[in-house]
Amino acid sequence: MIINIRRWVKGFIGGQDRLYDALPLTATEPQSRSDGSISISRSRGRRWLIFLLPFCIARPLGLTERELPKTTSTTYLNGIRGLACWIVFNNHITMDKYRDFIFMPYGAERDGKRLEHWIQLPWVRALVSGKGMVCVFFVLSGFVLSYSSLRKVNDPSKANKPGTRDDLLTSVSSMTLRRAIRLYGPMLALAFITALVTWYVPWGVMDHKAPNIFAHLYKAWLGSVTVMDPYHWPRLKPPPRHFEQAWTLGVEYRLSLVMFLMIATTATLTTVGRKTIVIFVAAWSVYCGRRWDVACAMGGMLLAELRFAPLADDISRLFNRPLRLSKWFTLVPAVFCAVFGLLLCSWPESMPSAAEPYRTLWELTPTNWRPDANHGAPEPVGGWVWWWGTIGAFMMLWGLEQLPLVQKVLSVSFLKYLGEISYAYYLLQGLGHTHVGNPVFRVLQEKYGWSKTAAFVGGYIVGNVFNIIASDYFWRVIDDSSIRLARYVVVEWLGVGKQAGNRSRNSPDSGGSYTPVPTSVPTANESDNYAVEDGIALKEGFDDINGGSVRRRTGS
């Protein structure tokens, strides 16, 4: 049946696969009829129809040559990122409608009533625990940003190779300069789109506090500037109006600068020295300033280091004898850490000591991370959520690193696709529920008399479908363009890692693949895995499928 549908659609639109990824603003087909205007009009119509099909529909129908990245040892992180963004969406769309119980543990009592909704159950509540997923984002960010560099410094074949240090420096320079464009380019596009929607769209959230649309756009710009300020480390107050979820991008950028400094500082150290420094910085950041975000990033860097230099190797060198570990010695702790880490990432935001298993763990929470600590915090909601979320995110990701079977499940095509569009999905989720999900919820409940639960399910499905389709367009038009722009600016304009004869391939509108920095960034068609960085996404860092040259060792 799929084959028949594919043939019918391709016959209807002319099978123009090559036009799928480009905006069809001009006609490139030769005119085949005497009436050129009719031919061009039909050609453009077909091309727009192709372009407007989301990738998840166009690919099964054979209407695009674009493919999801090949499955590698790091692909599962893409799946985690996609699931994390979906959970953040769940958190935002449920918080207003079910605030009376959604943030509390199962079995807690409030106003004499025992709260026992299934979504409050331990582990199950991870489906709406957006704060814990932010911690996962930041740990993944530390992993991704350090992955390529740590791969080089841990590769014995490149340790004393001439030019290795220069290559590493070029890589760090390129990542540093591209980072702002990569993060803030799509965010500025979102700010512009959100300003137009909140000014002109008559349903959802409208904002006419500004005297005109231009003043409204300027307010959106000012909100973006607060996120883009790299010198503001305290909690962002207030977050940008109408796209509050973007507060994580400012944190993400500052973490990137910390990571690049750490990479450059520790590149020449031994693996034991590097691990020691990373652990010390993580502990010191938590002790001095409650910088759980820095600790998350350091945890991600430590995970990347353990991938190339497991603790078993350090112990073997210490005792001067090889250490052979049974697979059960790794499997059992890995399963425990993955399961227990997920529990910690689902820590309730309200009444954390009201029910087990959180009541027992609450006694282990440091005093200055509790509600009555009166401690200035760099985070929204209670500090205990971020304390346990940081520990849980590290434990869960370390456990998953040791579980290849679970990695295969997280690398299925749907999750790879969700990971590809996850940055756009994260950015657009606000509009998805304020201007689609919530209006549908209100109409179903108020006009058609649906129950609250039924109306919520209807609004949730419609809002989520809208968010996926809109994210697909945003991914192909804006997200990918910002990646190409960042590379073009850094390579062509600034000349970082520029190679002779690659100018035409690096132009912003070029669809070809290229490697602007030797051995540091994957080529687009070989290993353009979108690794999670911000909450989000960075199209760099993973190049472990280039000829299978990277060796992953186990036993960490």
Side-chain angles (χ1 to χ4, degrees):
M1 181 176 179
I2 292 294
I3 295 176
N4 293 334
I5 295 176
R6 180 187 305 172
R7 289 175 179 171
W8 182 84
V9 175
K10 292 186 72 172
F12 177 73
I13 62 178
Q16 302 175 44
D17 295 2
R18 68 187 184 279
L19 303 176
Y20 175 72
D21 293 315
L23 277 173
L25 300 180
T26 59
T28 58
E29 292 186 342
Q31 299 178 12
S32 57
R33 299 181 54 177
S34 57
D35 191 340
S37 61
I38 296 177
S39 178
I40 291 175
S41 176
R42 290 181 176 177
S43 172
R44 288 179 177 176
R46 288 195 300 268
R47 293 167 62 196
W48 271 108
L49 179 59
I50 296 173
F51 175 79
L52 291 176
L53 285 176
F55 175 83
C56 56
I57 298 176
R59 183 58 190 171
L61 295 178
L63 301 178
T64 176
E65 296 177 356
R66 183 172 190 154
E67 296 180 347
L68 294 173
K70 297 178 182 178
T71 300
T72 71
S73 65
T74 55
T75 300
Y76 81 97
L77 297 175
N78 229 15
I80 293 176
R81 180 185 63 180
L83 287 174
C85 287
W86 172 64
I87 290 172
V88 173
F89 175 87
N90 293 343
N91 176 265
H92 288 162
I93 202 170
T94 57
M95 61 167 51
D96 292 332
K97 303 175 184 64
Y98 299 103
R99 187 178 292 273
D100 54 336
F101 68 85
I102 199 73
F103 295 134
M104 302 171 192
Y106 184 88
E109 293 187 4
R110 182 178 183 181
D111 299 330
K113 181 181 179 181
R114 187 177 175 86
L115 305 175
E116 294 181 333
H117 194 280
W118 65 269
I119 198 65
Q120 297 174 272
L121 289 167
W123 288 285
V124 177
R125 63 173 298 103
L127 294 173
V128 293
S129 298
K131 308 300 187 298
M133 295 305 106
V134 170
C135 295
V136 172
F137 286 149
F138 291 162
V139 175
L140 284 172
S141 176
F143 187 104
V144 171
L145 293 177
S146 60
Y147 183 92
S148 180
S149 300
L150 293 179
R151 176 185 58 80
K152 295 175 189 175
V153 300
N154 282 288
D155 190 346
S157 65
K158 296 182 179 181
N160 299 315
K161 188 176 180 180
T164 299
R165 292 189 179 182
D166 290 341
D167 192 31
L168 180 63
L169 179 62
T170 301
S171 175
V172 173
S173 174
S174 174
M175 289 191 296
T176 305
L177 293 171
R178 282 185 287 138
R179 189 62 163 158
I181 301 175
R182 174 67 189 97
L183 279 176
Y184 295 140
M187 187 197 71
L188 290 174
L190 170 72
F192 178 77
I193 294 171
T194 302
L196 294 180
V197 170
T198 54
W199 184 267
Y200 289 113
V201 177
W203 61 84
V205 177
M206 293 193 70
D207 184 356
H208 284 175
K209 294 181 179 179
N212 52 61
I213 181 60
F214 300 104
H216 188 57
L217 287 168
Y218 182 64
K219 288 173 62 177
W221 160 255
L222 294 179
S224 301
V225 170
T226 61
V227 176
M228 296 188 291
D229 181 2
Y231 310 107
H232 181 81
W233 277 81
R235 177 185 171 188
L236 193 61
K237 293 182 179 180
R241 184 169 173 78
H242 305 307
F243 53 105
E244 290 86 354
Q245 71 275 13
W247 72 269
T248 60
L249 304 189
V251 178
E252 185 65 37
Y253 183 67
R254 292 189 290 274
L255 291 182
S256 302
L257 300 182
V258 173
M259 290 303 305
F260 298 145
L261 176 62
M262 283 293 296
I263 292 169
T265 303
T266 62
T268 59
L269 300 180
T270 64
T271 179
V272 175
R274 189 160 40 250
K275 291 170 185 172
T276 302
I277 294 297
V278 169
I279 293 173
F280 173 79
V281 171
W284 192 247
S285 63
V286 171
Y287 177 77
C288 289
R290 269 177 53 163
R291 296 309 321 186
W292 57 272
D293 47 358
V294 176
C296 284
M298 293 299 104
M301 184 175 180
L302 181 60
L303 287 176
E305 180 72 19
L306 290 173
R307 173 176 275 242
F308 302 112
L311 289 176
D313 291 0
D314 300 332
I315 298 174
S316 297
R317 283 190 294 268
L318 178 64
F319 293 99
N320 198 25
R321 58 181 297 179
L323 180 63
R324 294 183 176 88
L325 300 176
S326 167
K327 65 176 182 179
W328 295 105
F329 191 84
T330 301
L331 180 61
V332 173
V335 172
F336 171 79
C337 285
V339 173
F340 188 65
L342 181 61
L343 174 68
L344 297 183
C345 286
S346 63
W347 198 274
E349 299 178 24
S350 298
M351 304 175 68
S353 61
E356 296 291 354
Y358 307 104
R359 179 183 295 132
T360 300
L361 293 173
W362 177 253
E363 300 301 322
L364 303 177
T365 306
T367 303
N368 64 329
W369 291 81
R370 298 191 182 193
D372 56 353
N374 294 323
H375 191 292
E379 71 276 336
V381 307
W384 64 89
V385 175
W386 308 99
W387 165 264
W388 291 112
T390 299
I391 298 173
F394 177 83
M395 292 181 66
M396 182 176 68
L397 292 176
W398 179 86
L400 294 176
E401 269 282 277
Q402 322 304 319
L403 300 173
L405 183 60
V406 181
Q407 293 176 16
K408 290 182 180 180
V409 175
L410 292 170
S411 300
V412 297
S413 296
F414 172 73
L415 292 182
K416 283 202 292 186
Y417 172 68
L418 191 59
E420 289 292 290
I421 67 171
S422 59
Y423 191 23
Y425 188 93
Y426 180 85
L427 292 176
L428 293 174
Q429 62 177 289
L431 293 178
H433 65 77
T434 60
H435 286 77
V436 180
N438 286 350
V440 171
F441 169 79
R442 289 194 297 268
V443 169
L444 293 178
Q445 190 176 28
E446 298 172 4
K447 184 175 181 179
Y448 294 99
W450 288 27
S451 66
K452 182 177 181 180
T453 300
F456 170 77
V457 172
Y460 175 84
I461 293 175
V462 174
N464 213 358
V465 170
F466 165 83
N467 212 42
I468 291 175
I469 295 175
S471 299
D472 189 288
Y473 299 147
F474 196 95
W475 163 51
R476 288 188 279 133
V477 176
I478 297 175
D479 199 16
D480 279 359
S481 296
S482 70
I483 294 170
R484 292 194 297 269
L485 176 63
R487 289 174 175 172
Y488 182 77
V489 168
V490 173
V491 177
E492 290 296 340
W493 291 2
L494 301 179
V496 178
K498 184 176 181 180
Q499 303 176 44
N502 69 348
R503 181 177 182 82
S504 62
R505 300 173 67 199
N506 287 347
S507 59
D509 57 349
S510 172
S513 61
Y514 57 92
T515 305
V517 182
T519 72
S520 63
V521 181
T523 57
N525 61 350
E526 286 182 338
S527 57
D528 231 354
N529 282 345
Y530 284 29
V532 187
E533 65 167 348
D534 16 35
I536 319 182
L538 177 65
K539 211 177 185 181
E540 66 185 14
F542 291 157
D543 53 356
D544 61 344
I545 65 172
N546 294 331
S549 59
V550 176
R551 299 182 300 276
R552 175 177 176 177
R553 291 173 287 178
T554 60
S556 59

